[in-house]
Amino acid sequence: MPSRPAGWASALRPRPSGSTNRPEPEPAVAERSGATVCGESASDPLMALALTGMGVTSLSMSAPALPAVRHALRHHSLARCESIAEAVLSAQSADEARMAARDLTDAEVVTRLGL
């Protein structure tokens, strides 16, 4: 994967460096209206775990991505997803966020999915 210049967004760090804006799906969850993420972010098994932990209730992705995301989600509790989300949101860079998510992901899932 090519590296991005400092401050560029990525799936695991969608805000530029120094920005205080962060994804906040909780209001949608509290209102029971749900929160949906689609595309590349939803298709990444690590990001899917973090998004679930942030309160996202629906992930939309291409069919080829479904087996890996389904496998990751089936092997993690909501509490573990919430821990992954906290670690991702606390990270200072996309690389740090990805490593934090990977470190909290079940070892079997990491191995099986090649994360």
Side-chain angles (χ1 to χ4, degrees), residues 33-111:
S33 61
T36 300
V37 174
C38 59
E40 184 179 353
S41 292
S43 298
D44 179 330
L46 293 177
M47 186 65 180
L49 294 171
L51 289 167
T52 299
M54 291 178 205
V56 170
T57 56
S58 179
L59 300 168
S60 177
M61 67 203 74
S62 63
L66 283 170
V69 171
R70 181 182 301 125
H71 183 79
L73 290 170
R74 283 186 176 170
H75 288 83
H76 293 84
S77 66
L78 180 56
R80 176 68 71 92
C81 290
E82 289 169 346
S83 295
I84 292 169
E86 287 177 25
V88 165
L89 291 172
S90 297
Q92 297 302 309
S93 70
D95 289 340
E96 186 180 312
R98 186 159 204 78
M99 289 305 297
R102 187 180 180 279
D103 289 347
L104 291 171
T105 299
D106 181 88
E108 184 275 333
V109 172
V110 170
T111 302

